[in-house]
Amino acid sequence: MKTLIALAAASTLALGAAPVSAETPSERAEARLAERLEGRTAGEPESCITVFNNNRLEVVERIGLVYEQGDTIWVARTSSPNQLRFDDIPIIERMGSQLCRQDVMRTVDRSTGSFTGALFLEDFVPYTRPENEG
């Protein structure tokens, strides 16, 4: 059975102020994500992850999707980051509890609900803290 996920306005990731040196929106988004991932190490990318709680799936403008699962933060970058804007809501058609980079994804405008584009993700990269840090 297909499950549709619509990520609402509240799911847009707001990670605090970006450093003054980050000038473009993409640079600011990268700086906020780097701050969130600070102290974590990237693991082996995976094409699918199990998503139990859809409201933990977050949109990071100009980057992609982020999902927190326990001590792991999964990051799936979009192949066209400049097309993912703060006012876009991803609509994802998936099967079961797996979220995969091959799932059909499109974006709609938050205000009008009109189609704004297709969303193509790269693999999901897990970021974890070293075991000795807890």
Side-chain angles (χ1 to χ4, degrees), residues 7 25-26 29-30 33 46 57-67 74-86 88-92 99-107 116-125 127:
L7 301 176
S26 294
E30 288 291 345
L33 181 61
E46 296 186 24
L57 190 61
E58 302 173 55
V59 175
V60 181
E61 178 185 11
R62 300 184 185 274
I63 292 182
L65 300 180
V66 171
Y67 179 71
W74 294 89
V75 178
R77 292 178 175 275
T78 179
S79 59
S80 301
N82 289 330
Q83 292 181 351
L84 187 58
R85 302 168 303 151
F86 75 95
D88 285 336
I89 299 173
I91 306 296
I92 304 169
L99 176 61
C100 299
R101 65 176 285 181
Q102 300 89 351
D103 289 339
V104 176
M105 301 179 206
R106 64 187 186 281
T107 56
T116 57
L119 184 61
F120 299 97
L121 296 178
E122 297 174 359
D123 283 340
F124 292 85
V125 178
Y127 289 86

Side-chain angles (χ1 to χ4, degrees), residues 16-46:
V20 176
S21 62
E23 296 175 11
T24 69
S26 294
E27 289 171 334
R28 287 191 295 274
E30 288 291 345
R32 288 191 303 270
L33 181 61
E35 183 179 307
R36 183 168 183 185
L37 298 176
E38 188 174 338
R40 295 177 179 269
T41 305
E44 286 294 316
E46 296 186 24

